[in-house]
Amino acid sequence: MHFVVKVFSEIIIKSPPVRKRFIKQLRDNLRVLLGSLGVDIDVQRDWEKIEIRCPAASEQVIAQVSDVLARTPGIANFALLNDYPLGDLDSIFQHTLRHWRDGIAGKTFCVRAKRVGKHPFTSVEVEQYVGGGLLQHSEAKGVSLHKPDVIVPLEIKGERVWVLTSKTQGLGGFPLGAQDPVLSLISGGFDSTVSTYLCIKRGLRAHYCFFNLGGRAHEIGVKEVAYYLWNKYGASHRVKFVTVPFEDVVREILEKVDNPYMGVTLKRMMLRAAEKVAESLEIPALVTGESVAQVSSQTLVNLNVIDRAVDMVVLRPLATMDKGDIINLSRKIGTESFAASMPEYCGVISVNPTTRAKLHKVEFEEGRFDMAVLERAIEERRAQNIDEIVDELDADLTVPVVGDINPDQIVIDIRHPDEQENNPLKLDGIEILVIPFYSLNNQFNNLDLSKQYYLYCQKGVMSQLHAANLKDAGHLNVGVYRPEPKSACAI
């Protein structure tokens, strides 16, 4: 097995010292990643490419190496070459026929030969001899020198000939570790996962910061997608996953901050906490998945106000991307299925958010916020190595979901008070408790625990999260009430 790896074009145009450093970093990354395959694989570099050799590689090993190369940042493309003693022209043809007979069937083709060294034939003679032989001994449609369907590449160096059998596009970008690290604020949705991927692709070692608003069930879901991103695209470097408990921060905002400013205030609190986490890890920049004007808190005016909460630079890789493009990219990188099932914390953002926040007004609202709550959340953060969270990912936090309620069962409406007031839930003959989601954990233990409770919210995702969180705390008498459109009357 012999792979030739071409590095990303932007690496080639760097100054010689920088190019050397980047290619060395890519070589080291590949040694780490390929070393986990349990096979003796040699990885060497020169000024523009990397060569990977494993003389006794099986088809399975070749497939595994290809998979690693296809998802490693810094690679423009890679080719699998089969190495043979040079021999004469007929020997070169026989080796080429073995690998390309099926690949050119029904197609036009041409042979392209690159040759280094002194030989009794020219490159053109190789192309003519091998091309004529392939045309006679295969079902190829014909030879086309200008616009062939297939190019059959050969490389001759000294006394060896390499028959290239496949060429695969890589991720591009820079090798992981070639740039400084960043702290990515990840919620598990489409935006934060795609922005994290784009940072990894650019060579930024992305650590993860998660603000837990929905208990362990929410945390496990985000850890699943963070682990997936790291394991697939960034496993050459160990990173941290930091969880910051933010439920009390949200409660403080909902109770103290004027409704239109809740969303902006929450983002400012998150940045403040993330900055402290980043400083503790010696990370110089934060990353968010915000896109200009996608939601109310992401207007340029609001983003300006949000950024003024911290001194650290905030990177926004998705700033000018459309939502459809973001979703398409998440599908391509494999995070769509995670993001599609990840809840948006709909109750946190205010019902009537401002799109043009005034800094002095935000600072006035924050003056009523008890900053000790934020400091306590930062102090209680939990940091783990990303490869140490695997044992948590198989936790069974499923809860029953029902569309009908019996008279001896109780529904808990956990929506934001504004939603409850504007659209109260009424069910004939059914007891309904009104406990906002941010008070549920504290108040649930005061209820009659011999009863069966079903949580309700508008979309069903918040209720499922909190029910799973209560189950994890040992309460097995909790489920989710998700009525059919005509089963409940909310007036």
Side-chain angles (χ1 to χ4, degrees):
M1 177 196 75
H2 180 193
F3 281 96
V4 173
V5 177
K6 296 295 181 68
V7 302
F8 183 49
S9 58
E10 287 187 31
I11 298 175
I12 298 300
I13 64 175
K14 299 289 185 184
S15 65
V18 175
R19 180 172 66 238
K20 180 179 179 181
R21 176 169 62 86
F22 276 35
I23 296 177
K24 180 179 181 297
Q25 182 69 68
L26 178 56
R27 180 204 64 187
D28 294 344
N29 292 353
L30 290 174
R31 285 178 174 176
V32 171
L33 295 169
L34 297 175
S36 64
L37 300 182
V39 180
D40 186 18
I41 298 176
D42 182 48
V43 183
Q44 299 297 333
R45 66 178 175 89
D46 63 23
W47 77 278
E48 66 171 352
K49 68 180 183 298
I50 290 175
E51 296 192 10
I52 300 171
R53 298 174 185 270
C54 182
S58 64
E59 290 296 323
Q60 180 181 4
V61 170
I62 291 174
Q64 290 173 329
V65 173
S66 297
D67 178 59
V68 170
L69 297 178
R71 52 187 172 83
T72 298
I75 295 176
N77 58 70
F78 59 94
L80 174 61
L81 287 79
N82 293 271
D83 183 5
Y84 299 102
L86 180 58
D88 57 14
L89 288 176
D90 190 66
S91 174
I92 297 173
F93 157 67
Q94 293 295 339
H95 295 317
T96 308
L97 180 66
R98 182 180 305 114
H99 294 289
W100 280 98
R101 186 199 303 268
D102 295 336
I104 61 176
K107 302 175 182 177
T108 61
F109 75 97
C110 71
V111 177
R112 293 283 185 260
K114 293 182 179 180
R115 189 175 56 86
V116 177
K118 294 184 177 180
H119 305 96
F121 43 73
T122 66
S123 299
V124 172
E125 288 173 338
V126 173
E127 293 171 351
Q128 291 174 341
Y129 188 95
V130 174
L134 291 175
L135 185 61
Q136 293 181 34
H137 295 85
S138 72
E139 297 181 3
K141 186 176 180 181
V143 173
S144 174
L145 298 180
H146 300 293
K147 293 184 179 180
D149 297 326
V150 178
I151 294 177
V152 178
L154 301 174
E155 292 190 14
I156 299 170
K157 292 184 179 181
E159 298 302 313
R160 309 295 297 181
V161 59
W162 285 277
V163 181
L164 189 151
T165 57
S166 67
K167 188 174 183 179
T168 306
Q169 194 72 21
L171 287 183
F174 293 148
L176 198 62
Q179 309 293 322
D180 291 317
V182 295
L183 183 67
S184 179
L185 280 61
I186 188 164
S187 66
F190 291 103
D191 300 338
S192 64
T193 53
V194 171
S195 65
T196 302
Y197 162 77
L198 291 175
C199 287
I200 295 172
K201 179 183 174 183
R202 199 62 181 171
L204 300 166
R205 183 157 55 106
H207 298 262
Y208 300 87
C209 185
F210 165 61
F211 294 97
N212 194 344
L213 310 179
R216 186 162 178 257
H218 192 190
E219 180 179 353
I220 288 176
V222 176
K223 282 182 173 178
E224 284 180 335
V225 68
Y227 180 84
Y228 170 86
L229 279 170
W230 170 79
N231 188 53
K232 183 152 188 168
Y233 301 107
S236 60
H237 289 70
R238 175 177 278 185
V239 298
K240 296 285 186 181
F241 186 99
V242 182
T243 301
V244 183
F246 237 55
E247 289 174 300
D248 290 343
V249 174
V250 171
R251 184 182 300 111
E252 185 75 6
I253 291 173
L254 291 171
E255 292 177 352
K256 301 287 183 62
V257 175
D258 192 24
N259 195 299
Y261 285 87
M262 289 179 179
V264 171
T265 301
L266 176 63
K267 293 292 184 68
R268 283 167 60 90
M269 295 298 174
M270 286 179 171
L271 285 191
R272 288 187 176 104
E275 184 178 52
K276 294 293 185 182
V277 172
E279 289 174 346
S280 71
L281 297 173
E282 299 183 346
I283 294 173
L286 306 177
V287 175
T288 77
E290 291 161 316
S291 176
V292 173
Q294 186 179 119
V295 296
S296 61
S297 66
Q298 296 173 17
T299 62
L300 285 179
V301 172
N302 284 356
L303 291 175
N304 183 301
V305 171
I306 291 169
D307 280 3
R308 289 170 182 260
V310 296
D311 295 325
M312 188 170 287
V313 63
V314 180
L315 305 178
R316 295 183 170 90
L318 310 185
T320 60
M321 288 184 66
D322 298 332
K323 189 66 175 184
D325 294 334
I326 295 170
I327 293 175
N328 289 339
L329 184 51
S330 74
R331 183 178 303 120
K332 179 180 178 181
I333 66 177
T335 60
E336 181 189 29
S337 58
F338 295 98
S341 60
M342 196 66 60
E344 295 182 8
Y345 227 80
C346 50
V348 172
I349 305 301
S350 50
V351 176
N352 297 304
T354 180
T355 59
R356 303 188 66 82
K358 304 294 184 182
L359 181 60
H360 72 275
K361 175 63 175 175
V362 175
E363 291 174 341
F364 174 79
E365 293 295 328
E366 289 181 346
R368 298 190 293 223
F369 184 96
D370 183 1
M371 286 295 178
V373 176
L374 178 64
E375 293 299 327
R376 185 166 59 249
I378 296 172
E379 291 173 2
E380 293 176 354
R381 68 185 184 275
R382 181 189 179 202
Q384 300 170 272
N385 291 325
I386 191 73
D387 54 341
E388 295 175 351
I389 66 174
V390 180
D391 293 341
E392 302 178 34
L393 302 184
D394 60 356
D396 179 14
L397 297 179
T398 56
V399 293
V401 179
V402 302
D404 295 306
I405 300 294
N406 298 325
D408 59 338
Q409 297 170 337
I410 300 172
V411 172
I412 302 178
D413 186 345
I414 67 168
R415 293 175 295 167
H416 186 281
D418 289 343
E419 290 184 86
Q420 295 168 347
E421 182 179 351
N422 294 334
N423 219 10
L425 178 69
K426 294 185 181 297
L427 296 169
D428 292 338
I430 301 298
E431 182 180 356
I432 299 175
L433 302 179
V434 176
I435 305 176
F437 66 90
Y438 53 82
S439 300
L440 185 63
N441 287 343
N442 291 335
Q443 294 189 28
F444 192 82
N445 284 327
N446 298 327
L447 303 178
D448 183 353
L449 300 183
S450 66
K451 300 285 188 178
Q452 179 71 34
Y453 297 93
Y454 289 93
L455 309 186
Y456 170 78
C457 72
Q458 194 68 36
K459 296 182 180 180
V461 289
M462 292 271 289
S463 51
Q464 191 153 353
L465 264 181
H466 283 279
N469 192 41
L470 289 170
K471 177 182 177 180
D472 185 58
H475 300 293
L476 304 181
N477 59 330
V478 183
V480 172
Y481 172 50
R482 187 179 298 166
E484 297 294 330
K486 296 182 180 180
S487 298
C489 179
I491 59 175

